[in-house]
Amino acid sequence: MTIFFDKKTKTFHLQNAQISYLLGIEENNSLVHLYFGKKIKNYSGNYRYPRTDRSFSPNPPDASDRLLSLDTLPLEFPGNGFGDFREPAYNLKLKNGSRITDFRYDSYKIIAGKPTLEGLPALYVEAENEAETLVVTLKDTLSKLQLKLSYTIYKGFAVIARSTQLVNDSQDSVEVNRLASQSIDFPNRELDLIHLNGSWAKERQLTREKVNTGIKVLDSKRGSSSHHQNPFVALVDPTTTEFQGDAYGINLVYSGNHETVIQKDPYDQTRVITGLNSFNFSWQLGAGETFQTPEAVMVYSSNGLNELSHTYHDLYNHHLIRGEAKLKERPTLINNWEATYFDFNEEKVMKIVEEAKALGIEMFVLDDGWFGGREDDFTSLGDWTETEGKIACGLENLSQKIHEKGLKFGIWFEPEMISEDSDLFRAHPDWALGVPGRGRSLGRNQFVLDFSRQDVRDNIYQQMTSILDRIPIDYVKWDMNRNMIEVYSVLLDSENQGEVSHRYMLGLYEFLEKLVTNYPEILFESCSGGGGRFDAGLLYYMPQTWTSDNTDAVARLKIQYGTSLAYPISSMGAHVSAIPNHQTERKTSLATRGNVAMSGVLGYELDLTQLSTEEKKEIKEQVNFYKQHRQLLQFGTFYRLKSPFEGNDTAWMFVSKNQEEAMVFYYRVLTEASAPLTTLKLVRLLEDENYEFDGKMIAGDELMNIGFYINPELSGDYVSQRFYLRKV
Ligand code: GLA
């Protein structure tokens, strides 16, 4: 992996064994994008954006002819107001009211490794030789502002991590209304856009559409990365599939308001900008100050979407997820939420724990309802003291009893929230986000604490850690059950109110950094009404996320398929729950529920004391099987074979890194009379080796090229099959 600057052609070339990323400096010192894609060994300098005179495209003051215009150049970090009429990557208001800046190339430096992003989650390196970083500085001489564009290339990964800093070297403050993490222009190709949208209980539904002329914005204004629009997009060739074709992924490492703007101009040039949401955003950047954007992780694949996902999965497992859980097999768990909701006591809990132990489950998680007198969702958020008497022996003893049985103990918190009916709210009504003099809107009967405030964070940190310090706790589920409106912080001045959403996130990240540093042995799982904040930002602190409140096996096929596009399987919490399913009322077999939940971090979320003997036997087998194979299932290479978004069948498989083992899952939603036969062809096996498969010995080349028939006798709705393969 190297980064070099060619003085002759005035180009930067970031290169590793997989990719090249090329930037050029034009004759007027505009920084332009040249190429991102498969590795180019030696770039000649020949491929440059041609000069052509487009009417109504202005020429910069220092252009020598009519051929140079910023209106068409593929600018690496475009602005507006100085010749480019397209969407800008930044929008700054200067002291004199002008929004016109003219950033030109100034200098560069190359740094070994990767600097951290102050206060923000980001990809990291463990050793300096794992990555190299290019920082290109652009300057606007008149306003004395500098843009520092940062590009990290990793050894062995088809990835460029980008972020931006704005440095204010002037004597005045400047108002930042947009500052993107990345902008990339595709001047000459047809593209499809893939994105992950949805809603509560229906997260990360995969949508693929043609990029058409005009502007499309994919964003969240909800104060969280949201159920509704995940901060991930892929731009792919129209012919790209799971297995072939060019694919570019862009994933923002951020958990708050975000936006991706896609613009195709009349010359069929496409620009994609990603970063903090500019809606209602304004940041006063004082003299001498620097603003750091979140990071955008840009991945390239020349072999379709599966390979794109593999890069994200490996990258996040090795360079985003931290702490003791990194690359470690994750425990199976039983969560009491769908088993008891708020209605639990020591006896009920211990009965579930005993059953769990008998079934081989490794951890018990006590969900919502153990604190402050909370018996429903109207009360007590913010009062993180144990409800006396609810667990008769007390939480400390409960934890001890559970540990004595050989299980781990986990507990639920919702630290960012406050109930109107809480001691905390009665004492500090101004601690909730809200506009003085106006009512506050409720969401799930609760308000949002103003996490931009240090005093608020300190109070919650102290409350939370007094529980963690007293009670042996192995796992924490960190929930967040509403979105933000009336975003106003009483401690900030009027001109700083546009900063609250981002200051909230910085406060949250500061809190989490302190928490995970001081409690390294705790496994954290984030949650937001299921998967409302499934993003790379939170994965930096919490290695797992509750994928969705929807535990229906059929609904989960789409949710988990979509999620797998960017996020590792080891980060996806997946539970077997009771039937009829509590979200969809659907009844699916225990086998199918198990086969879906095993394709993530397996857990159970049902009343184990209500199971029949056969069900217990089956669950015991599932847990046992999962534990035996979880290295493969959590960290193996995951291939999507058949998409639930395209038909009645879904199939995926996991292959071990040495390709000697694989696990294949096939699911069919609805049965059909006189149905056509289904063949599954496997991938990534060793061609010349034999595998034990379904009681037979079959060579890899046969399984990959001919495949095998799914048994036509497999009848009924919501059926599934699982195949384990091992090299003999
Ligand atoms: C959210 C979570 C659930 C559960 C409840 C508790 O909805 O997603 O898993 O923890 O909160 O109130």
Side-chain angles (χ1 to χ4, degrees):
M1 140 213 77
T2 47
I3 300 175
F4 46 90
F5 180 63
D6 181 348
K7 279 199 191 116
K8 214 170 75 228
T9 59
K10 287 194 160 179
T11 48
F12 294 99
H13 191 164
L14 296 89
Q15 180 192 68
N16 64 17
Q18 289 79 24
I19 53 163
S20 284
Y21 193 103
L22 290 161
L23 294 169
I25 302 167
E26 295 299 314
E27 69 263 27
N28 70 338
N29 278 339
S30 288
L31 185 72
V32 294
H33 183 73
L34 291 171
Y35 174 77
F36 178 31
K38 208 167 184 163
K39 176 190 182 160
I40 307 296
K41 252 191 235 143
N42 297 301
Y43 167 65
S44 69
N46 174 59
Y47 181 86
R48 294 305 272 238
Y49 192 78
R51 295 288 175 265
T52 165
D53 181 5
R54 304 261 192 204
S55 292
F56 287 84
S57 286
N59 317 108
D62 53 351
S64 51
D65 54 34
R66 289 173 51 152
L67 299 180
L68 178 75
S69 175
L70 306 190
D71 193 23
T72 49
L73 269 187
L75 291 165
E76 183 67 9
F77 206 73
N80 189 293
F82 206 72
D84 188 347
F85 292 97
R86 293 166 288 178
E87 279 289 307
Y90 60 88
N91 181 2
L92 311 173
K93 188 170 159 198
L94 306 179
K95 173 107 186 298
N96 66 1
S98 153
R99 290 185 184 270
I100 297 153
T101 48
D102 179 14
F103 283 98
R104 309 276 182 117
Y105 171 75
D106 175 70
S107 57
Y108 74 93
K109 67 178 179 203
I110 294 168
I111 306 164
K114 181 175 192 289
T116 53
L117 266 60
E118 219 199 309
L120 286 165
L123 295 179
Y124 62 86
V125 291
E126 274 171 342
E128 268 194 358
N129 64 0
E130 291 171 349
E132 214 171 25
T133 301
L134 167 71
V135 181
V136 182
T137 300
L138 311 180
K139 256 192 193 153
D140 178 36
T141 338
L142 190 66
S143 66
K144 298 201 171 54
L145 296 175
Q146 291 182 43
L147 282 170
K148 290 183 181 292
L149 311 181
S150 170
Y151 302 82
T152 298
I153 184 162
Y154 275 83
K155 196 194 288 176
F157 291 95
V159 61
I160 300 284
R162 283 184 64 178
S163 68
T164 312
Q165 279 183 353
L166 178 70
V167 183
N168 182 1
D169 281 337
S170 76
Q171 303 296 316
D172 305 311
S173 72
V174 53
E175 185 178 299
V176 185
N177 294 129
R178 177 186 277 178
L179 190 64
S181 301
Q182 77 80 32
S183 175
I184 184 165
D185 279 9
F186 298 92
N188 50 2
R189 64 201 286 180
E190 288 292 308
L191 289 166
D192 279 2
L193 169 69
I194 293 173
H195 56 103
L196 303 172
N197 49 77
S199 56
W200 173 78
K202 200 181 170 186
E203 297 91 336
R204 290 168 298 285
Q205 305 291 299
L206 191 157
T207 298
R208 180 170 179 159
E209 59 191 82
K210 185 174 152 54
V211 175
N212 283 312
T213 306
I215 296 172
K216 183 168 182 103
V217 180
L218 301 171
D219 80 339
S220 165
K221 302 183 182 77
R222 294 173 168 268
S224 79
S225 52
S226 84
H227 302 86
H228 304 75
Q229 191 71 56
N230 194 266
F232 168 83
V233 297
L235 282 305
V236 303
D237 284 342
T239 52
T240 292
T241 66
E242 286 285 3
F243 289 98
Q244 61 94 28
D246 272 8
Y248 296 88
I250 305 171
N251 191 201
L252 192 68
V253 187
Y254 193 61
S255 316
N257 294 338
H258 57 88
E259 73 186 342
T260 296
V261 183
I262 301 106
Q263 179 172 25
K264 187 170 180 181
D265 77 6
Y267 310 113
D268 285 350
Q269 312 195 120
T270 298
R271 172 172 291 171
V272 184
I273 296 168
T274 312
L276 292 173
N277 201 326
S278 54
F279 179 79
N280 282 356
F281 173 76
S282 68
W283 189 279
Q284 304 302 323
L285 190 67
E289 290 178 354
T290 296
F291 185 88
Q292 169 70 59
T293 71
E295 178 164 275
V297 178
M298 305 173 73
V299 168
Y300 167 74
S301 159
S302 56
N303 294 307
L305 291 163
N306 269 313
E307 187 180 281
L308 187 85
S309 302
H310 299 157
T311 303
Y312 275 113
H313 295 181
D314 285 348
L315 189 68
Y316 288 175
N317 276 326
H318 287 90
H319 295 288
L320 180 71
I321 288 165
R322 303 176 293 167
E324 289 184 10
K326 177 177 175 176
L327 297 171
K328 288 259 173 63
E329 290 182 10
R330 309 289 165 69
T332 53
L333 66 81
I334 169 76
N335 178 304
N336 75 309
W337 180 242
E338 285 197 18
T340 66
Y341 294 103
F342 294 102
D343 184 19
F344 58 82
N345 55 30
E346 181 190 341
E347 203 192 332
K348 263 197 198 174
V349 164
M350 283 314 294
K351 277 194 180 144
I352 294 177
V353 169
E354 267 149 39
E355 288 298 344
K357 181 186 163 67
L359 300 174
I361 296 170
E362 297 153 303
M363 178 157 72
F364 172 79
V365 178
L366 186 62
D367 210 278
D368 193 356
W370 57 266
F371 55 92
R374 183 159 161 105
E375 295 297 340
D376 54 37
D377 61 15
F378 283 84
T379 170
S380 301
L381 294 169
D383 297 345
W384 297 105
T385 49
E386 167 177 1
T387 307
E388 233 172 280
K390 183 154 185 180
I391 296 287
C393 65
L395 279 180
E396 198 175 342
N397 287 323
L398 183 78
S399 163
Q400 198 188 332
K401 287 185 184 182
I402 292 172
H403 283 125
E404 274 164 13
K405 297 234 173 273
L407 271 79
K408 292 175 190 287
F409 177 54
I411 201 162
W412 181 95
F413 282 95
E414 196 178 355
E416 298 157 78
M417 296 292 151
I418 184 165
S419 304
E420 205 167 4
D421 177 17
S422 66
D423 291 342
L424 193 70
F425 189 75
R426 281 181 283 272
H428 301 285
D430 65 319
W431 281 15
L433 290 174
V435 188
R438 290 189 192 281
R440 288 188 183 89
S441 305
L442 286 162
R444 207 197 187 199
N445 311 308
Q446 63 201 47
F447 300 138
V448 183
L449 277 171
D450 181 356
F451 254 50
S452 72
R453 289 175 61 157
Q454 187 73 54
D455 53 351
V456 171
R457 297 197 302 269
D458 287 349
N459 177 290
I460 299 297
Y461 189 83
Q462 187 276 325
Q463 288 198 57
M464 203 175 161
T465 53
S466 65
I467 296 279
L468 300 180
D469 290 340
R470 185 169 61 85
I471 302 165
I473 286 174
D474 307 290
Y475 160 108
V476 165
K477 177 174 170 189
W478 177 301
D479 212 336
M480 193 264 196
N481 278 313
R482 63 161 289 181
N483 289 146
M484 293 172 209
I485 42 176
E486 293 126 13
V487 178
Y488 189 95
S489 177
V490 292
L491 289 196
L492 292 175
D493 291 338
S494 58
E495 70 268 25
N496 299 106
Q497 291 300 331
E499 301 172 8
V500 179
S501 296
H502 185 53
R503 285 191 184 277
Y504 180 105
M505 294 317 302
L506 294 175
L508 173 65
Y509 290 146
E510 183 208 81
F511 188 119
L512 288 171
E513 184 64 34
K514 195 158 80 173
L515 190 66
V516 303
T517 308
N518 291 338
Y519 298 87
E521 67 292 341
I522 295 180
L523 172 63
F524 288 90
E525 177 158 330
S526 76
C527 174
S528 174
R533 243 181 4 187
F534 204 132
D535 58 67
L538 284 187
L539 286 180
Y540 183 68
Y541 306 97
M542 308 196 244
Q544 293 181 197
T545 304
W546 178 224
T547 310
S548 178
D549 273 347
N550 193 339
T551 51
D552 170 45
V554 173
R556 274 291 184 129
L557 293 175
K558 286 184 177 169
I559 295 168
Q560 293 179 198
Y561 192 97
T563 305
S564 77
L565 225 57
Y567 306 104
I569 306 300
S570 59
S571 67
M572 287 165 43
H575 300 174
V576 171
S577 61
I579 50 165
N581 178 269
H582 294 195
Q583 294 77 36
T584 62
E585 308 263 304
R586 200 187 331 259
K587 291 185 185 170
T588 56
S589 69
L590 187 50
T592 291
R593 280 174 280 156
N595 284 339
V596 174
M598 270 184 212
S599 303
V601 177
L602 176 68
Y604 290 79
E605 190 159 335
L606 72 179
D607 190 349
L608 298 177
T609 64
Q610 302 297 309
L611 298 174
S612 69
T613 317
E614 296 79 69
E615 284 172 323
K616 281 185 196 164
K617 187 166 164 260
E618 197 174 338
I619 290 186
K620 196 171 175 174
E621 275 164 18
Q622 287 178 350
V623 173
N624 197 12
F625 183 85
Y626 185 76
K627 287 201 279 196
Q628 234 176 305
H629 298 291
R630 76 178 132 190
Q631 181 62 34
L632 172 63
L633 294 170
Q634 292 177 359
F635 296 101
T637 309
F638 179 73
Y639 281 92
R640 294 175 297 264
L641 302 176
K642 277 181 185 290
S643 168
F645 295 98
E646 285 166 16
N648 197 26
D649 293 349
T650 301
W652 51 54
M653 74 183 281
F654 299 80
V655 187
S656 66
K657 298 286 171 203
N658 63 11
Q659 295 163 275
E660 294 185 358
E661 272 187 300
M663 192 81 73
V664 182
F665 292 92
Y666 167 79
Y667 312 90
R668 195 178 60 215
V669 177
L670 295 180
T671 192
E672 202 188 330
S674 307
L677 296 175
T678 305
T679 305
L680 260 195
K681 289 186 191 178
L682 304 186
V683 293
R684 185 68 169 244
L685 301 175
L686 299 163
E687 265 177 357
D688 302 327
E689 300 290 346
N690 283 319
Y691 290 84
E692 200 181 297
F693 169 80
D694 214 13
K696 297 172 210 109
M697 237 189 19
I698 308 181
D701 62 352
E702 178 181 327
L703 287 165
M704 292 193 289
N705 297 313
I706 303 179
F708 61 93
Y709 283 114
I710 293 294
N711 181 2
E713 300 299 313
L714 191 68
S715 64
D717 293 340
Y718 323 130
V719 289
S720 67
Q721 277 198 302
R722 181 179 75 216
F723 305 92
Y724 173 63
L725 287 82
R726 201 180 42 204
K727 191 191 113 178
V728 281

